[in-house]
Amino acid sequence: MEKEAYRSHTSDQQEQLQITGMTCAACATRIEKGLNRLEGVRSAAVNLTMETAHVDYDGDALSVDDLIRKVEQLGYQAAVKSDKREEEAARKREELSRHKRRLLVSAVLSFPLLWAMVSHFSFTSWIWMPDILMNPWLQLVLATPVQFVIGSTFYIGAYKALRNGSANMDVLVALGTSAAFFYSLYQSILSIGNPHHHAELYYETSAVLITLILLGKLFEVLAKGRSSEAIRQLMSLQAKTALVIREGQEQHIPIEEVMTGDRLIVRPGEKIPVDGKVIEGSSTVDESMLTGESLPVSKQPGGQVIGATLNKNGRLVMEATRVGKDTALAQIIRVVEEAQGSKAPIQRIADVISGIFVPIVVGIAVVVFALWFFWVEQGNVAGALEKAIAVLVIACPCALGLATPTSIMAGSGRAAEAGILFKGGEHLEAAHKITAVMLDKTGTVTKGKPELTDVWAAAMEESRMLRLVGAAERGSEHPLAEAIVAGIRNRGLELPDAAEFEALPGYGVVAVVEGSRVAVGTRRLMEQEGIDIQGALARMELLEAEGKTAMLVAVDGSYVGLLAVADTVKPTSAEAIRKLHEAGLEVYMLTGDNERTARAIAAQVGIEKVIAEVLPASKAEEVKRLQEAGYKVAMVGDGINDAPALATADLGIAIGTGTDVAMEAADVALMQGDLNSIVDALALSRRTMVNIKQNLFWALAYNVIGIPVAAVGLLAPWLAGAAMALSSVSVVLNALRLQRVKLR
């Protein structure tokens, strides 16, 4: 399959690295370029928001240690992303606490400097200010820890960036604040022994700038935490411990210690710890948190159970078959994480701009300083410096770097909450371009499971006829027979035992029940039995025109009635297809069934374009035919015989349950069997792309407008710092609006 061709190399390895020390989009771009330059790396994508790097590489040419060394050489820290999520959460909590402490100390030291500055404006002259706050040496004492202790991270980041031949936000901040601090220090020294020298001090500029940048970063960290809410909710579904039987003893162990083959006891009301099969006991299990099915599912010995689902009312003994990373829930979490950490093609715009932005800004700042110093206000170092600092600060590309990844995180997270798993940011973007949707019939439009739909008793009481039919069909293993028996039992009827049972392939069944000879099957069976069915033919043809399989019933040589079985349409299919049409999409139904049955099903749900009698191998050809006609095609199927078509389509959507989320051929997995999820997926894609474009527009507009305003002297450096912090926070908050999108 084309989309997965690169995975065919046996030496292919994938690794998720946790990166620390990134401060802006330029950092992420530099790490990404550095990793991609390594011989043996096939692709590397760095996500600033998630602080991760996803690397595909040749395991024969490189090791994980080589990747980590490269990141560290670039001036950052890297480690293999831990599966121990509690450790990761603890690390992030500690990082947040450290950030808060630095901000608090910086704010306390900067406040007196800000007080002194604010009280100097003519319109704020009424504010009382202690004279000591104007002492240059007190200001130096207050500003120095902020500049060189709290602000040391900017110097370290700037040094590492410059050492590697690039520039980032740290360079801008370090340049701007250092210029203000050292110019103020120079002015302070000039005032020694010279009472007539009026020192022009900008200590507050550097200190307040650093404080505002830290405040903006804190808001970003808090907002990023919210954008990972979907993953946290999924993780919270998992049981924390399991009751295992080892060496004949029952013992509670952490879920991480459960091994394949362990026997586990699950009491009523407890969560199923891992994926497995029932060995003893019977119960019903609520699987709605993973599959979306509202009704509890009956579980008997031999039945499969999914980890994180809820055992309702019976004691089960199960054998663990999939644990740790292999469970359905772990696969779901992995898919969501990879989607949130991947890049949409639209992000390349921001990456290109960020990569060249900082050097350009430094150049602009130098030009602005020169113009003010040599031309506008000749010889005024302080004035020229202030304008240059404002340009450096207002131009930080943080908002630009956050524009795309925060929207991807929020959009894919909201999708996961609705049971829609995008396997990458590129698929989230591709979904909004879809113009045609091809739906597989069985299991997608329909339930994929035959049901007893019609009963017509012509010459016998209906309940007696059903009891006789149910007893006769109970001995057959045919899916239609199973559907008939299940439908009769659902009506509350008890089935007697049958004698002399015989299954006739292609015809039906014959059995003796309560002394009567019962025949259930096709016209050919009735002809073989010599039974007159002329009175049933009209009704039978009517049912078949509706796409149903009709079966005739005879008792003791006489026709007594008929039954119809059909793969029934899902209750929500017609509504979902109507919404797809309203969205301007062409909708096709693709099926291997005969034309008449396919048309009957299509008519029930409002599909006009039907492609019937298509072999599984030919479905991909039908997708290509539509693509050649100019359509962007989404193929929706169950991910088994539809795999070639799913891989060929512009967007492959696998419809199934929680156990099917890792279907390799699909780009999107729907945990629920409801076709409305397709509508939701396409709508979320459109909303996410609009959100990304809003973010990119405002991030770029902010810089395009802000730099000239700062250059002409209309923006004080501290106001530029506040605006820079506000722009980053506003981009993140705009992205987080996607988490509140209402679906259906």
Side-chain angles (χ1 to χ4, degrees):
M1 297 170 200
E2 295 164 11
K3 293 181 184 177
E4 302 296 325
Y6 72 95
R7 298 189 190 280
S8 62
H9 301 282
T10 55
S11 57
D12 262 14
Q13 299 286 331
Q14 293 187 34
E15 197 61 70
Q16 283 270 99
L17 300 179
Q18 190 73 50
I19 311 289
T20 52
M22 291 190 293
T23 54
C24 70
C27 298
T29 302
R30 185 163 66 259
I31 296 170
E32 193 170 285
K33 285 181 178 176
L35 288 171
N36 277 313
R37 285 194 195 108
L38 279 177
E39 192 171 341
V41 170
R42 294 196 174 89
S43 69
V46 177
N47 188 298
L48 172 65
T49 313
M50 295 280 287
E51 297 181 317
T52 58
H54 183 81
V55 189
D56 275 318
Y57 64 99
D58 183 346
D60 293 338
L62 287 170
S63 69
V64 177
D65 290 339
D66 294 325
L67 302 176
I68 292 173
R69 265 195 299 275
K70 182 61 180 176
V71 174
E72 289 175 346
Q73 181 190 329
L74 292 168
Y76 304 89
Q77 292 78 50
V80 175
K81 190 166 170 50
S82 174
D83 287 327
K84 296 181 178 176
R85 301 181 189 278
E86 293 196 7
E87 287 182 13
E88 186 65 24
R91 184 189 68 79
K92 291 195 172 180
R93 282 195 299 271
E94 174 55 33
E95 186 181 331
L96 183 61
S97 298
R98 189 166 59 249
H99 204 105
K100 287 178 178 176
R101 288 194 298 271
R102 289 174 61 216
L103 174 61
L104 179 61
V105 173
S106 185
V108 169
L109 292 173
S110 302
F111 179 73
L113 299 171
L114 182 64
W115 187 358
M117 181 192 71
V118 169
S119 62
H120 268 69
F121 297 121
S122 57
F123 59 89
T124 58
S125 56
W126 54 271
I127 297 175
W128 173 77
M129 180 195 68
D131 291 339
I132 194 170
L133 291 185
M134 289 306 299
N135 186 305
W137 306 110
L138 174 65
Q139 291 198 12
L140 176 64
V141 168
L142 292 171
T144 300
V146 178
Q147 184 72 36
F148 298 108
V149 179
I150 294 166
S152 62
T153 54
F154 300 115
Y155 284 105
I156 294 167
Y159 167 72
K160 289 175 177 176
L162 293 171
R163 187 186 66 186
N164 287 286
S166 62
N168 64 356
M169 172 190 145
D170 291 333
V171 173
L172 297 182
V173 175
L175 274 174
T177 58
S178 296
F181 181 88
F182 286 110
Y183 179 77
S184 301
L185 179 59
Y186 168 70
Q187 289 288 314
S188 300
I189 293 169
L190 287 181
S191 69
I192 297 174
N194 185 359
H196 301 293
H197 177 73
H198 176 67
E200 295 184 31
L201 304 178
Y202 290 90
Y203 288 120
E204 79 284 343
T205 298
S206 63
V208 171
L209 268 179
I210 289 171
T211 303
L212 286 171
I213 291 167
L214 290 177
L215 179 63
K217 287 292 177 187
L218 177 63
F219 284 147
E220 280 179 29
V221 170
L222 293 171
K224 286 177 193 174
R226 281 183 55 202
S227 63
S228 296
E229 188 63 33
I231 290 178
R232 276 200 295 276
Q233 287 183 359
L234 286 169
M235 286 164 52
S236 69
L237 294 176
Q238 190 174 39
K240 301 294 184 288
T241 62
L243 182 57
V244 64
I245 305 171
R246 286 183 179 167
E247 298 177 358
Q249 300 292 317
E250 296 180 8
Q251 51 183 298
H252 284 279
I253 61 171
I255 196 74
E256 295 81 10
E257 294 179 15
V258 176
M259 296 184 292
T260 303
D262 274 344
R263 289 195 165 207
L264 309 171
I265 296 173
V266 189
R267 300 188 182 103
E270 291 181 344
K271 287 181 178 178
I272 307 289
V274 294
D275 297 2
K277 63 180 179 182
V278 178
I279 298 171
E280 297 174 21
S282 62
S283 181
T284 55
V285 176
D286 179 359
E287 297 183 344
S288 60
M289 66 281 291
L290 287 182
T291 67
E293 297 296 331
S294 56
L295 294 176
V297 181
S298 177
K299 299 294 179 184
Q300 307 290 336
Q304 300 295 315
V305 286
I306 307 170
T309 56
L310 185 65
N311 182 24
K312 298 287 282 184
N313 52 23
R315 179 181 181 274
L316 295 176
V317 178
M318 61 172 284
E319 179 184 326
T321 57
R322 293 194 296 179
V323 302
K325 293 181 182 178
D326 298 326
T327 64
L329 180 63
Q331 289 178 37
I332 292 169
I333 292 171
R334 191 194 75 241
V335 168
V336 177
E337 283 183 331
E338 287 180 359
Q340 291 190 335
S342 67
K343 286 192 175 184
I346 196 171
Q347 190 169 339
R348 293 177 193 141
I349 300 169
D351 288 347
V352 170
I353 295 170
S354 298
I356 60 173
F357 199 71
V358 175
I360 290 173
V361 169
V362 172
I364 291 172
V366 170
V367 171
V368 167
F369 178 86
L371 286 173
W372 279 87
F373 182 74
F374 292 110
W375 184 46
V376 182
E377 295 178 353
Q378 292 182 15
N380 185 353
V381 176
L385 193 61
E386 186 175 288
K387 280 47 168 202
I389 291 168
V391 168
L392 288 171
V393 172
I394 196 72
C396 284
C398 299
L400 189 64
L402 292 167
T404 302
T406 47
S407 294
I408 293 292
M409 282 181 71
S412 56
R414 178 67 186 94
E417 290 171 5
I420 303 162
L421 304 183
F422 285 96
K423 294 187 179 180
E426 65 275 23
H427 307 311
L428 184 57
E429 179 174 344
H432 89 287
K433 300 176 183 175
I434 294 302
T435 55
V437 178
M438 297 192 91
L439 302 169
D440 174 52
K441 179 181 79 71
T442 306
T444 302
V445 176
T446 66
K447 293 178 181 177
K449 187 178 178 182
E451 293 181 354
L452 179 61
T453 57
D454 297 83
V455 177
W456 172 253
M460 181 181 285
E461 185 183 344
E462 182 179 299
S463 59
R464 172 162 168 73
M465 184 184 82
L466 287 175
R467 287 178 70 253
L468 295 176
V469 169
E473 292 282 13
R474 194 164 58 168
S476 172
E477 295 179 355
H478 194 282
L480 296 182
E482 291 175 359
I484 291 170
V485 173
I488 293 171
R489 280 184 167 150
N490 287 340
R491 286 167 163 79
L493 298 175
E494 292 290 330
L495 303 183
D497 292 327
E500 300 179 25
F501 170 81
E502 184 181 5
L504 305 169
Y507 287 78
V509 298
V510 177
V512 174
V513 183
E514 296 181 339
S516 297
R517 181 177 171 82
V518 180
V520 185
T522 62
R523 294 179 180 86
R524 285 183 296 175
L525 176 62
M526 296 299 123
E527 289 169 5
Q528 185 175 295
E529 293 282 316
I531 297 166
D532 180 13
I533 55 168
Q534 285 302 313
L537 292 179
R539 186 176 296 275
M540 193 173 187
E541 287 172 3
L542 185 64
L543 291 169
E544 287 174 343
E546 294 174 1
K548 298 173 181 177
T549 301
M551 281 169 284
L552 301 155
V553 183
V555 177
D556 292 332
S558 299
Y559 163 72
V560 296
L562 60 77
L563 309 169
V565 174
D567 179 8
T568 56
V569 169
K570 293 176 182 175
T572 55
S573 290
E575 177 196 4
I577 288 159
R578 177 180 57 77
K579 288 178 180 176
L580 290 172
H581 280 134
E582 287 173 356
L585 298 168
E586 296 288 339
V587 182
Y588 292 78
M589 190 173 79
L590 199 60
T591 179
D593 273 356
N594 65 70
E595 184 84 19
R596 188 168 67 170
T597 301
R599 292 279 174 195
I601 295 293
Q604 290 180 48
V605 295
I607 296 177
E608 296 176 3
K609 297 172 180 176
V610 179
I611 305 170
E613 299 176 25
V614 181
L615 295 173
S618 303
K619 289 184 178 181
E621 295 300 321
E622 297 296 338
V623 171
K624 284 181 182 175
R625 196 169 289 124
L626 265 188
Q627 289 172 326
E628 287 164 2
Y631 289 101
K632 291 288 184 182
V633 183
M635 173 66 199
V636 188
D638 62 10
I640 301 169
N641 59 355
D642 300 310
L646 289 168
T648 305
D650 298 287
L651 189 73
I653 303 177
I655 208 161
T657 65
T659 56
D660 299 321
V661 296
M663 285 186 284
E664 290 294 323
D667 307 313
V668 184
L670 307 181
M671 292 162 63
Q672 302 175 18
D674 188 343
L675 287 189
N676 276 306
S677 292
I678 303 166
V679 180
D680 292 341
L682 301 182
L684 260 172
S685 172
R686 286 192 291 271
R687 294 288 289 271
T688 302
M689 293 311 299
V690 167
N691 193 275
I692 288 172
K693 288 170 184 175
Q694 288 171 346
N695 283 348
L696 288 173
F697 172 80
W698 287 112
L700 287 169
Y702 157 81
N703 283 315
V704 168
I705 295 167
I707 290 174
V709 170
V712 298
L714 297 177
L715 201 61
W718 71 273
L719 278 173
M724 185 205 73
L726 185 62
S727 71
S728 296
V729 173
S730 63
V731 161
V732 175
L733 292 178
N734 184 52
L736 289 176
R737 291 191 305 118
L738 290 168
Q739 291 187 326
R740 298 193 298 275
V741 170
K742 289 186 179 177
L743 301 174
R744 289 182 231 174

